[in-house]
Amino acid sequence: ESGDGDQENGSSLPPHVYAVADRTFRTMVTRMYHKDFDYSCKRSQHSTPNDNQQTKREKTNQSVLVSGESGAGKTVTTKLLMGYLAELSERPQENTKLSVNMSIERRVLESNPIMESFGNARTVRNDNSSRFGKYIEMNFSSTPFSSPTNQTEEAKISLVGASVETYLLEKVRLVHQSIGERNYHIFYELFSLKRGVDSYVQDGNDNIHDKVEIEGNDETSQIANESNASLVDKFGLLNYDMEDFRMISNSDTYDRRDGVSDFDTFRDLKRAMNIMGFTKPEQNAVLGVTAALLHASNVTFHEIGEVECALDMDNPHLSYLVDLLGITKET
């Protein structure tokens, strides 16, 4: 059996997401300062300016590789890692308002729903499988922090930014899905806009119960459905269901087995886009392009001779396609 010291270092135990994240953060902090500095990075009240200059922080890097087979939990593990690192870098604020750093931390964590909606899909083995690789870089900075408890100066480690690079997106999934699999979540989440809209249209705006917002009274619920009804009509989804689009119907699979609702994930997506700074026009533009792809999959052609063809101008999906993309049929 290993000693207590080995167990504290985690060397005798299999990798654990929080242990790995904690050790990574502490190692990064330690390397930012002199080797004789402890984790709290406290400075002695009797330290001289020259001593303080010796503790100037340097750029240090720490890497965590999350790997595993499909369905092993890479996506969830990555979210737990990011959440834990953001929590470690967070200090209680004196006022109740969110600071700039808090805002950054929240944005970093709220980027996950966006990536999952546009990059994850249901596969045979996993209902929320990431169909792309991602490299996430979280940037931390150290600034002096006056502790109100012991009147000493400590080092405040703050999350100051993050970037995400994606690669190897499974593009073939856009046009073909195997039996029991789905296209990317966003195409199914888009139909969440229709929730409550059908009753809104049929009942003459008098019987509205569903809404996209988490909070709101009857008045805001009606406004939400008015807005959704306008978007559904603009996106050309009012008279169509999932089964009507070739892009998402060739596998005859429309739901998730894990019990997660597309309506809930779409709500998370909208919240995340708001937090990340997407304006309403920008959000509608992104969703509009998504709807345009659905209509593009239903575009048909006429044969002209043996080797030529032409667009079917009478296809109703073509009108929605060109309108959403901001082009003309002649283009």
Side-chain angles (χ1 to χ4, degrees), residues 93-143:
Q93 302 298 317
E94 295 181 358
N95 52 23
T96 57
K97 295 182 179 180
L98 288 177
S99 67
V100 175
N101 289 337
M102 277 290 292
S103 177
I104 292 175
E105 291 157 5
R106 190 177 180 189
R107 287 184 219 167
V108 170
L109 299 180
E110 288 293 343
S111 65
N112 284 306
I114 300 176
M115 291 190 293
E116 290 185 12
S117 289
F118 287 91
N120 289 21
R122 167 180 167 172
T123 64
V124 174
R125 302 183 61 181
N126 185 2
D127 279 57
N128 192 34
S129 177
S130 298
R131 310 314 301 163
F132 65 100
K134 51 181 173 284
Y135 175 80
I136 304 174
E137 185 176 278
M138 302 177 68
N139 303 311
F140 297 86
S141 178
S142 174
T143 55

Side-chain angles (χ1 to χ4, degrees), residues 49-62:
N50 292 333
D51 293 333
N52 293 336
Q53 290 178 0
Q54 293 177 357
T55 62
K56 287 184 178 179
R57 55 192 178 276
E58 298 178 356
K59 293 183 178 180
T60 58
N61 298 319
Q62 285 288 297

Side-chain angles (χ1 to χ4, degrees), residues 153-173:
E153 193 174 70
E154 302 177 358
K156 177 182 178 182
I157 308 301
S158 303
L159 178 63
V160 296
S163 62
V164 180
E165 294 183 17
T166 61
Y167 51 91
L168 299 179
L169 178 68
E170 186 185 23
K171 298 179 182 178
V172 68
R173 184 169 293 272

Side-chain angles (χ1 to χ4, degrees), residues 33 39-42 91 142-145 153-157:
Y33 297 89
Y39 170 69
S40 64
C41 302
K42 295 181 180 179
R91 285 186 183 270
S142 174
T143 55
F145 172 75
E153 193 174 70
E154 302 177 358
K156 177 182 178 182
I157 308 301

